[in-house]
Amino acid sequence: MIGRREFLGATAAAVAVVGFDPLGRVWVTEAQAAERSSTATPFAGAPALDGELVLDASSREAVATDLGNITFHTPGAVLRPGSARDISRMIRFCRRHGIPVSPRGQAHTTYGQGLSDGLVIENRYLKRIHSLGPTTAEVDAGIHWMELAKAAYAQTPRLTPPVLTGYTGLTVGGTLSVGGVGGLVGGLHTGLQVDHVRELEVVTGTGDIERCSRDRKPDLFESVLGGLGQIGVITKAVIDLVPAKQRARSYVLGYDDTAAFARDLRILIERPVVDHVYAEFVAPGTSPTYKIHATVFHEPDQPPHDRTVIGGVSGVPEIRNTSYLEHVFTIDTLIDSLRQTADWDRLVKPWFDVWVPGTRIESYLAELMTTLTPRDIGPLGAGLIYPQRRARVHNPYPRLPRPDGSDWAFIVDVNTVSATTRPEPGFVDEMLARNKRLYARTRDHHKGTLYPIGSVPLTEEDWRGHFGDKWPAFRAAKRRYDPDQLLARGQNIFRDGR
């Protein structure tokens, strides 16, 4: 279903940009350029492009906020690139004139991380699958994981990315810029999505188009993956593919007791037969308070023995059998329904997302649950827990908690969603204050780290603490590849220039 912003952008006639007035700090349209020619008012002509550079109000409004609907910045212009060359040319142009630049995929962050009052690059217009081989796919950054999953599964033999986010209607470039957690595929036996990239094409903050990998310009490669768009704009990626099974059997177990839930969670994530585990939670007072989803992928003639999966756990399972792709697209199906029935894209979503060390998950949840009310999640929100085996995570970003003797780290999400598109006054401020308070407690007492897609106000000092011992390398990459700090200023990481 097309949301209001996408509808406006698709139906209104796009107004093309032909230049920029560096004195007046405004973009110049074709009609304005004609007027200026008669008055001899100069402007800098925009470069020739394969795609289009647009200025109309509808196109700019369509990219003025993100999934959170909390922060709003209307850009001066929007680039719909037809190639990596377009991005290179426009970054060089913007660099000459001091115009900030933000790349944008599906804008699934919730606190304005990808917004800009300068130029927004809509990477979703780069949407070609260049090749599908037996072990890798080469795709544009604007391809959705859903599109790649469908194309890979249609191959003979069937293939799949080894890690898929819970919602697959996200762009490859977008999730690789953050980390890419295995929402419904991956996590137990794989790393994050950034751990399954062979090579990248990147446009840096200087406008250079670079190919990089772990062997070629590894500083660029490692700092772009999970680098929050700070170092360069991903335009293409070579991604691992692995064999895919045809069926998925999921066991859903409910709990009201934190200790019993955590015990069974730890049992299930260690079982070799189990391919994926995630959990849900709600505010206390609703039964069940927790649900574990444990999934085994299998061929039709080789279903798992239920006892080998859930033997020894205390929860009573509900068993669900689906096709592999039906399982992969579970959240997409849910979100499509919410778009039709609840105006999902316009609801306010002050999300909270952190990594918790493996040894602290029981104490963390026990403490968190004492603070949550139904308002903290909302009728359409969700509390989520994703286990991640540390040994499978190899990229330095995103920043996981320091090793604590456990083989595991856990993402904990409090995905708050407002009940209406116009929540009561004070709702956003209240939830942002809650997020700030929860993050400080997570960091200082539980030694957790931020997964930076949510709505947590951070200072520059907070960011330096977040990156920890990786801060000098990350700062060096920023200085080398984006010396003018042109890119992704919405993150507020380098505002003081240090």
Side-chain angles (χ1 to χ4, degrees), residues 237 242-243:
V242 297

Side-chain angles (χ1 to χ4, degrees), residues 39 138 165 170 307 322 325 448 459:
T39 60
E138 183 169 0
T165 49
L170 304 177
R307 182 169 295 182
T322 65
L325 288 184
T459 66

Side-chain angles (χ1 to χ4, degrees), residues 191-209:
L192 304 171
Q193 287 182 327
V194 293
D195 297 303
H196 293 278
V197 180
R198 303 283 186 92
E199 189 176 354
L200 292 173
E201 179 184 81
V202 176
V203 182
T204 69
T206 61
D208 295 324
I209 302 176

Side-chain angles (χ1 to χ4, degrees), residues 110 350-354 364 368 412-416 434-436 438-439 442 450 454-456:
T110 62
W351 287 3
F352 176 76
D353 312 84
V354 289
Y364 187 82
L368 177 66
V412 177
D413 299 332
V414 181
N415 286 349
T416 305
R434 177 208 66 185
N435 289 353
K436 189 173 182 178
L438 286 177
Y439 173 62
T442 302
L450 189 70
S455 306
V456 181

